[in-house]
Amino acid sequence: MAFKWFYRILSKATASSKEDYAINCRAAIYRTPADTAKDYHNPIIENFRGDNRLFIAAEIDDNHDLKAIAKLAHTHPEVKFLVTPPIINEERLNRMAWHFSGNTRLYSQCTPETALDKVQILIIDYIADRQHLYEFGTWCYMGHGISDSPIDAAIPVACGLRTCSCPPIRKEPFCRSLIRRGVISVVRNSTQLNEWFCRHMDCHDIGQIPSHTTGAIHDNTSVI
C-alpha cells in the first residue's frame, strides 16, 4: 500500500521533464520499506528501540547537522536516536562520537544481547538495508547528505514518519513540491528543529501515512 502512495507522490511531482520521468520509472520498481516490513527484522535495532519511539537522524553529514541533533538529544534525553552518516570512515565516526558525548554506541559494537536500554544514540556504521530503518521510526530529520537524492527524501514520508529537513533540500524540484504541500518541513537551525519536534513529539502514527500527506497525495492520483 505504501508503494502505491509513494508512486503517486512521484507521479505528479516528477512529471515535468524527461529526467524526472526517469526518476519516476525507477520509483516504479522500488519497494518501500512498508512493503517488506513483515519480512524484515533487525534484532539489534529492535533491542535498542524497546518500547520507545525512535527519532531517525538520516544522512547526518556536517557539523551543522551534528550540532542540531546533539542539542536535540540533550534537550530530550527521554528520546532515542538512530543516526546514519552518508559516508562511513573513522574520522567521521570519531567526530560524531565527540558531538554525541554520552550514551552513544556504534551498531558494529552491538549484538542482539547487548544491553542498550540506557543507550540514547545508536550510530549506524554500515550501508546495507538502510531504507528499512525508517520502519522503526516516528520522526525523521534529513541532513545534508540526502539533499541530492529526491527518491531517498520521499522514503520517510512513504513510511509515515513526521519529516523535516535541512534547507539544501529546497534545491530539488521534487522536494520543493513536498515542502510546498506541507509534507516536509524545513528547519534552519537547532532552535527550529526543537520547535518542530515539540509540535510533533506526541505523534503516535507509527507506520501510517499522515493525514496531511494523504491529502496532498489524493490531489495527484494519476499514475503513469
Side-chain angles (χ1 to χ4, degrees), residues 23 36-37 40 51 77 129 146 156 175 182-183 186 197-198:
I23 293 174
T36 58
Y40 180 79
D51 296 327
D129 71 9
I146 207 169
C175 296
V183 176
V186 173
F197 180 67
C198 288

Side-chain angles (χ1 to χ4, degrees), residues 59-139:
E59 310 302 322
I60 303 305
D61 193 42
D62 64 2
N63 286 333
H64 177 276
D65 292 333
L66 288 171
K67 290 176 182 177
I69 295 301
K71 187 172 182 179
L72 187 68
H74 179 75
T75 305
H76 301 278
E78 75 285 1
V79 177
K80 291 201 167 194
F81 290 77
L82 201 64
V83 179
T84 67
I87 298 174
I88 297 170
N89 57 42
E90 185 176 3
E91 185 274 331
R92 284 174 183 258
L93 294 176
N94 287 338
R95 183 153 48 95
M96 296 181 90
W98 184 84
H99 278 278
F100 300 143
S101 58
N103 296 321
T104 304
R105 196 70 74 88
L106 295 177
Y107 181 95
S108 60
Q109 296 174 334
C110 304
T111 70
E113 291 73 38
T114 302
L116 297 174
D117 54 313
K118 296 187 183 302
V119 174
Q120 185 188 16
I121 299 173
L122 184 64
I123 299 173
I124 303 300
D125 55 345
Y126 71 97
I127 298 296
D129 71 9
R130 282 194 174 192
Q131 71 274 19
H132 293 284
L133 302 183
Y134 295 105
E135 280 298 311
F136 296 100
T138 301
W139 314 275

Side-chain angles (χ1 to χ4, degrees), residues 127-200:
I127 298 296
D129 71 9
R130 282 194 174 192
Q131 71 274 19
H132 293 284
L133 302 183
Y134 295 105
E135 280 298 311
F136 296 100
T138 301
W139 314 275
C140 177
Y141 168 81
M142 295 184 293
H144 286 71
I146 207 169
S147 60
D148 61 349
S149 181
I151 290 180
D152 285 348
I155 296 176
V157 175
C159 290
L161 277 65
R162 297 294 195 264
T163 303
C164 67
S165 173
C166 60
I169 198 173
R170 289 182 181 274
K171 296 178 181 179
E172 285 290 341
F174 168 59
C175 296
R176 285 203 304 268
S177 72
L178 295 181
I179 294 168
R180 189 169 58 251
R181 294 170 185 151
V183 176
I184 295 176
S185 300
V186 173
V187 294
R188 294 173 175 80
N189 51 51
S190 58
T191 299
Q192 290 186 0
L193 177 60
N194 184 60
E195 291 172 349
W196 174 87
F197 180 67
C198 288
R199 291 196 301 272
H200 295 283

